């Protein structure tokens, strides 16, 4: 292997000589680019587990309160609009596809297509947040708030029942924290897009795209469970 | 391991490129399952099976995303192990919490006397004192009786109070 010649200067900024053996992104404490990539990916998976555990706390809260008051949750979930929820599901699934395609294209060195896919992902995320904005304001107009401020009125009096407040608190906290994740994702993919334009990525090295993609799919996964639990059943 | 084969492919790092048709089919499957879950939830009423069905479809969608979009099907097994362990801990979290909350009973009842004894005492008292004034065994009980007087004579709550300790002492 070429490893005998790499021992001289394996630092990050060096090794332009033969691009394959010393990629500028290659860090000296890894054996190979492959190992470096796999380590980063394992680290990302560990982070994603902490994300899953974060949301699982809220899913447990949902489960406990639903087991305690199943009939209240069924009535309260009728306040949510399944069409808008379904639309957002499709939008998020589409953005997951564009993320997967952006990785597909960068692996084939089709950088321009990758950039388009990253831009489409940001667009889908923005559509998701706009829909969410209209959903939230429609709830607020009728006094469907989280916690103490909860006072349904103006045609929503049927939700003024004991324990309905718990459903809406859980709804706003869960979808709110999920929405924060979508906003963070929008920032990440905008950043990736600008880096793509600057030619930072190639099939040799695209770790940020891969890891951000994994993050985005987890955000999608959370919504896959939130949608039926909140809007449908 | 496939890993070793990759390490030798110098330059071409050998990451599995998930074919475009696989990605598009995955997306199609996800859209199909989304429509399915909306239709089954709105058109069908399966009673107790509504929630399990919706969750089963959601799990199917999650599997598609994890296997093909996240590429776990083609990836290092250690990532799958990480995910499986994470899911295991989520299941422990949910089930052990439910062992508590679902079988907790009346959490507001902090009475040191068992409910059966309490009922028997009340019945004995009721027989001896149909006026119910003697049921005031604690300040809270006196308050409740004052606010919700079932009989015409609300005042003498203090007088028969010592009698109420008698059944307890008699044991």
């Amino acid at each position: 292997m070429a490893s005998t010649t790499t021992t001289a200067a394996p630092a990050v900024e060096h090794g332009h000589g033969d691009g394959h053996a010393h990629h500028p992104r290659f860090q000296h404490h890894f054996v190979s680019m492959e190992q470096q990539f796999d380590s980063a990916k394992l680290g990302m998976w560990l982070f994603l587990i902490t994300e899953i555990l974060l949301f699982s706390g809220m899913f447990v809260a949902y489960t406990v309160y639903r087991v305690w008051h199943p009939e209240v949750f069924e009535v309260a979930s009728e306040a949510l609009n399944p069409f808008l929820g379904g639309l957002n599901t499709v939008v998020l699934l589409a953005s997951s596809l564009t993320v997967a395609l952006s990785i597909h294209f960068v692996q084939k060195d089709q950088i321009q297509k990758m950039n388009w896919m990253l831009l489409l992902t940001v667009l889908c995320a923005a559509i998701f947040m706009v829909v969410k904005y209209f959903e939230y304001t429609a709830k607020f107009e009728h006094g469907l708030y989280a916690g103490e401020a909860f006072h349904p009125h103006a045609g929503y009096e049927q939700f003024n029942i004991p324990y309905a407040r718990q459903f809406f608190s859980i709804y706003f906290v869960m979808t709110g924290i999920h929405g924060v994740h979508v906003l963070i994702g929008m920032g990440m993919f905008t950043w990736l897009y600008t880096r793509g334009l600057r030619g930072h990525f190639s099939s040799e090295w695209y770790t940020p795209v891969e890891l951000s993609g994994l993050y985005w799919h987890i955000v999608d996964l959370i919504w896959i469970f939130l949608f039926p639990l909140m809007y449908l059943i | 391991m496939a890993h070793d084969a990759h390490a030798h492919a110098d330059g071409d790092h050998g990451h599995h490129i998930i074919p475009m048709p696989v990605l598009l089919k995955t997306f199609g499957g996800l859209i199909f399952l989304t429509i399915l879950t909306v239709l089954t939830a709105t058109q069908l009423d399966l009673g107790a099976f509504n929630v399990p069905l919706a969750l089963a479809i959601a799990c199917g969608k999650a599997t598609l995303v994890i296997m093909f979009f996240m590429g776990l099907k083609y990836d290092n097994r250690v990532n799958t192990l990480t995910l499986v362990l994470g899911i295991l801990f989520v299941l422990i979290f949910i089930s052990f919490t439910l062992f508590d909350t679902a079988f907790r009973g009346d959490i507001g009842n902090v009475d040191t006397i068992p409910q059966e004894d309490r009922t028997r005492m009340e019945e004995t008292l009721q027989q001896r004192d149909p006026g119910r004034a003697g049921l005031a065994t604690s300040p809270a009980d006196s308050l409740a009786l004052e606010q919700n007087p079932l009989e015409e004579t609300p005042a003498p709550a203090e007088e028969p109070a010592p009698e109420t300790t008698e059944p307890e002492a008699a044991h």
Side-chain angles (χ1 to χ4, degrees):
Chain A
M1 283 281 172
S3 59
T4 48
T5 59
T6 62
T7 49
V12 175
E13 290 306 318
H14 301 287
H16 305 288
D18 30 65
H20 292 317
H22 331 261
H23 190 274
R25 288 286 164 185
F26 183 57
Q27 294 175 322
H28 64 87
H29 48 278
F30 290 108
V31 172
S32 63
M33 286 294 276
E34 185 66 25
Q35 191 211 15
Q36 183 175 330
F37 180 80
D38 286 346
S39 306
K41 216 169 167 180
L42 178 59
M44 193 65 196
W45 270 105
L46 289 171
F47 168 69
L48 295 184
I49 297 304
T50 69
E51 286 279 26
I52 291 173
L53 290 173
L54 161 74
F55 277 96
S56 76
M58 292 179 278
F59 277 114
V60 166
Y62 174 93
T63 311
V64 167
Y65 284 115
R66 193 183 174 107
V67 167
W68 276 343
H69 310 292
E71 68 292 333
V72 176
F73 270 52
E74 268 174 42
V75 172
S77 74
E78 284 167 14
L80 305 181
N81 186 332
F83 172 74
L84 290 181
L87 175 69
N88 260 354
T89 308
V90 173
V91 167
L92 265 200
L93 290 175
S95 73
S96 260
L97 174 69
T98 56
V99 163
L101 285 175
S102 75
I103 293 165
H104 174 89
F105 287 132
V106 75
Q107 285 174 327
K108 286 180 163 178
D109 275 317
Q110 296 172 324
I111 301 304
Q112 205 167 6
K113 286 185 180 173
M114 175 199 74
N115 284 336
W116 275 111
M117 289 302 139
L118 292 174
L119 200 59
L120 276 177
T121 308
V122 177
L123 188 72
C124 285
I127 294 173
F128 181 91
M129 291 313 293
V130 168
V131 172
K132 210 85 215 114
Y133 166 80
F134 282 114
E135 282 191 84
Y136 274 14
T137 46
K139 303 287 167 296
F140 293 157
E141 276 169 18
H142 299 100
L144 300 176
Y145 288 102
E148 289 287 302
F150 183 75
H151 66 110
H153 56 78
Y156 278 65
E157 285 86 357
Q158 72 267 32
F159 302 113
N160 205 355
I161 49 176
Y163 306 114
R165 179 188 296 193
Q166 289 174 349
F167 174 85
F168 289 100
S169 292
I170 292 171
Y171 164 77
F172 281 117
V173 170
M174 289 193 84
T175 57
I177 293 180
H178 179 268
V180 169
H181 279 79
V182 174
L183 286 177
I184 292 171
M186 277 178 76
M188 281 163 59
F189 283 100
T190 311
W191 171 68
L192 289 178
Y193 175 67
T194 62
R195 290 193 69 174
L197 287 180
R198 285 178 280 161
H200 285 188
F201 304 126
S202 70
S203 63
E204 292 280 298
W205 185 77
Y206 58 94
T207 311
V209 187
E210 175 84 19
L211 301 193
S212 307
L214 288 178
Y215 168 85
W216 192 251
H217 294 310
I218 280 290
V219 173
D220 188 21
L221 274 187
I222 302 293
W223 184 259
I224 283 175
F225 284 94
L226 277 180
F227 171 56
L229 288 178
M230 293 291 177
Y231 292 79
L232 297 180
I233 54 176
Chain B
M1 271 174 69
H3 193 88
D4 299 327
H6 291 163
H8 292 280
D10 218 27
D12 169 25
H13 288 288
H15 293 161
H16 184 89
I17 302 178
I18 302 165
M20 178 98 74
V22 173
L23 295 175
L24 293 176
K25 277 183 210 162
T26 306
F27 179 66
L30 287 166
I31 295 296
F32 169 75
L33 288 176
T34 303
I35 294 169
L36 187 70
T37 193
V38 171
L39 285 181
T40 52
T42 52
Q43 308 299 321
L44 279 177
D45 189 14
L46 301 169
F49 291 100
N50 282 335
V51 178
L53 178 68
L55 283 178
I57 295 175
C59 285
K61 289 167 76 177
T63 310
L64 280 180
V65 170
I66 289 167
M67 296 253 286
F68 299 107
F69 279 174
M70 302 177 92
L72 218 48
K73 185 172 189 275
Y74 316 98
D75 208 351
N76 276 343
R77 290 289 166 81
V78 69
N79 294 336
T80 310
L81 180 70
T82 310
L83 177 67
V84 168
L85 283 176
I87 292 171
L88 181 71
F89 278 101
V90 170
L91 292 178
I92 290 173
F93 189 9
I94 289 185
S95 54
F96 277 67
T97 308
L98 283 178
F99 286 157
D100 171 15
T101 58
F103 307 105
R104 184 179 275 181
D106 184 6
I107 190 179
N109 183 6
V110 289
D111 203 342
T112 50
I113 301 166
Q115 199 59 51
E116 292 170 18
D117 290 356
R118 181 67 75 193
T119 315
R120 186 150 29 81
M121 282 162 58
E122 278 190 24
E123 280 166 3
T124 332
L125 281 165
Q126 193 73 282
Q127 283 165 9
R128 191 189 316 159
D129 185 6
R132 270 195 79 186
L135 286 179
T137 54
S138 74
D141 289 344
S142 308
L143 200 69
L145 283 170
E146 271 173 30
Q147 285 171 350
N148 187 19
L150 291 174
E151 74 286 10
E152 286 76 26
T153 55
E158 286 83 5
E159 196 249 303
E163 289 182 27
T164 61
T165 58
E166 191 194 289
E168 291 173 55
H171 272 294

